[in-house]
Amino acid sequence: MIDDAQLKDIRADTPGLAQGAHLLACGSSLQPRPVVDAVINHLKLEAEIGGYEAAEDNATAHEGVYDHIAAHINAAPEEIAVVENATVAWQHAFYAIPLAPGSRILTAEAEYAANYVAFLQRAKREDLKIEVIPSDASGQLDTAALEAMMGPDVGLIAITWIPTNGGLVNPSAEVGRIARKHDVPYLLDACQAAGQVHIDVKALGCDFLSVTARKFLRGPRGIGFLYVAKRWLKTIEPAMIDFFGAPWTSRDAYTLRPDARRFENWENAYALRAGLSTAMTYADQIGIDAIEARVSHLGGLCAEMAGALPGVTNMDLGVTKSGITSFKLDGADASVITAQLRVSGFSVGTSGPGTTRIDAEKRDLPTLLRIAPHYYNTEDEITRCVKRLGELMSERR
Ligand SMILES: Cc1ncc(COP(=O)(O)O)c(C=O)c1O
């Protein structure tokens, strides 16, 4: 549990809160001071002594990012590649997984747009089929339906654990159990899960997992990571390589690195790595279980309070709810309301149908208003934001 004294310290560590109530952790959350310091200190060192020299002098700290990530997700450091963002992490895995012509890719209704367009591209190029696993009555992925869809031609299960909108938490560990049973590769998008819920890659049974730093992890923008299960490291060949991931070992040959860093390039954002490393430590010091409990509590409050306003309907799905709440606004444009809330000191966001098209088409969703508190937010900030939303909505009637 995060108690009042701890919350006070956390908020004192979060300079951005002085600017207003930031309630958009699913977009990009507020970084704590130690993360900002880690990034700036490394940039300053680069300016003072040069980029290569700064990387060399901070080498131990930079290597530490693999240990921090691995400890946080119950993996080994050699199973981690640090890359630019969740999309790049996901793409590295997806485009490297061998799929025989005619094989089926199984995904979920709330799959993220960036992933789905990549399915479409490979399907077009390689004669693959994309099949969407139906949701159950609660709106979460139906694991019985998934089990019924399995067969020898399933080449991949790729789903999003916590989608970008809709409050949903898909049963990712149960999906992993089915993937393992049928020995099918399982690629899990954990972009919105990291820093919000407990991640244990062994319990999830996933082969690959993609994450970004800037959302619930409170890291800087422009960095993320990929987990690659050890069993893949003997065989998996990245779709693109450079001489860091695959050293040029003789004139006509290269040798892949033995670890997941075969997916990395030689050039790196060392300042951002320092920030990511610090963000992982920061989350672990607070404790992911305490974070999960508070995010769930604050998300539930948002859903209940904003959903009770006239003209505002909570659109969240699933049995277990994430901290990302989404609302349909009657007679109001969510983008305009978002801009007006921002002027009033409340940062919230929108989510358009193009981000989760299958779900949006099924439920005929317009652009939704998204409110996603983090553990550093307070009940008071949510109450004031909902009150202002209510005022803006009543001005439209
Ligand atoms: C579910 C999900 N997956 C992937 C991404 C892409 O993350 P990134 O922008 O870091 O590549 C997002 C971004 O919002 C997301 O919500």
Side-chain angles (χ1 to χ4, degrees), residues 7 11 27 55 59 70 92 98 115 128 164 172 183-184 191 202 209 227 239 266 287 290 294 310-311 348 356 396:
L7 184 63
R11 287 179 65 84
H92 274 308
N115 306 347
L128 307 170
T164 199
S172 45
D183 197 21
V184 167
C191 182
K202 305 235 168 27
L209 176 130
Y227 156 79
W266 186 87
R294 186 163 171 85
V348 299
T356 47
R396 275 164 179 74

Side-chain angles (χ1 to χ4, degrees), residues 126-212:
E126 299 173 52
D127 185 26
L128 307 170
K129 296 189 199 79
I130 310 164
E131 292 184 6
V132 178
I133 308 155
S135 300
D136 66 16
S138 78
Q140 71 173 27
L141 182 153
D142 185 338
T143 50
L146 169 60
E147 181 65 79
M149 290 167 83
M150 295 306 292
D153 57 348
V154 175
L156 173 66
I157 301 173
I159 65 152
T160 298
W161 185 354
I162 298 186
T164 199
N165 62 37
L168 180 62
V169 180
N170 269 320
S172 45
E174 182 59 15
V175 171
R177 198 190 56 71
I178 295 168
R180 296 280 61 80
K181 179 176 151 198
H182 295 272
D183 197 21
V184 167
Y186 176 25
L187 166 55
L188 184 60
D189 177 336
C191 182
Q192 298 285 5
Q196 178 176 186
V197 298
H198 184 83
I199 299 181
D200 178 336
V201 288
K202 305 235 168 27
L204 288 164
C206 58
D207 297 280
F208 307 94
L209 176 130
S210 52
V211 167
T212 211

Side-chain angles (χ1 to χ4, degrees), residues 292-309:
E292 186 171 343
R294 186 163 171 85
V295 171
S296 165
H297 159 67
L298 294 177
L301 200 65
C302 271
E304 192 185 313
M305 291 176 67
L309 292 171

